[in-house]
Amino acid sequence: MTQRPPLPPDLFDELCPSSLLPFRFGDKWASMVLRCLEDGPRRYSELRVPLSRVTPKALTQSLRGLERNGFVSRTVHADPKLRVEYALTLLGRSTLEPLAAACQWAAEHWDELLDARESGISSIG
């Protein structure tokens, strides 16, 4: 198994532009899962670190959906003890460039997105 640096716990803090994207890659958490797998395969427990706001059930559902749609592969290793790793497929890897562009767009329009969200909330209530 190749050693990769651990994922930082604050990879997706509350001020992450991805939380304001008006469009999604898969389900609510899929784009964040894709970004976590960008540098190579990860175990479920590794994904839980930066995705601590995601419930275990929602993370499992997201991984299953990404696997079902061909973006992520799931590999079970039985040596020396059972472990499962998730990795991007070629199709999944092809989403990284448009995903990065979407996140860049959200970062550039951060204030506008927040203002729109706040005005939408205040006009409802």
Side-chain angles (χ1 to χ4, degrees):
M1 181 165 103
T2 305
Q3 289 291 66
R4 288 171 304 283
L7 293 167
D10 62 347
L11 185 62
F12 302 110
D13 64 12
E14 291 184 33
L15 299 179
C16 176
S18 62
S19 65
L20 290 179
L21 286 177
F23 39 86
R24 294 198 174 131
F25 290 78
D27 63 41
K28 181 177 181 177
W29 306 109
S31 61
M32 293 181 189
V33 172
L34 295 171
R35 294 288 306 271
C36 287
L37 297 173
E38 187 171 1
D39 294 329
R42 297 285 181 172
R43 296 178 68 183
Y44 183 88
S45 60
E46 291 178 276
L47 296 173
R48 291 283 304 139
V49 174
L51 299 171
S52 60
R53 292 184 294 147
V54 184
T55 66
K57 179 181 178 182
L59 179 55
T60 298
Q61 289 174 336
S62 187
L63 285 164
R64 285 181 182 159
L66 288 167
E67 183 181 9
R68 183 175 50 254
N69 291 314
F71 295 110
V72 169
S73 65
R74 180 181 184 270
T75 305
V76 178
H77 301 277
D79 53 6
K81 62 180 186 176
L82 186 66
R83 64 183 165 83
V84 176
E85 285 186 326
Y86 296 92
L88 292 178
T89 62
L90 289 176
L91 182 62
R93 203 155 274 297
S94 74
T95 66
L96 294 177
E97 189 175 336
L99 180 57
C103 288
Q104 179 63 37
W105 177 87
E108 291 170 6
H109 295 277
W110 181 259
D111 291 334
E112 296 164 81
L113 291 166
L114 283 177
D115 289 346
R117 186 168 281 184
E118 288 176 12
S119 68
I121 291 171
S122 64
S123 67
I124 293 172

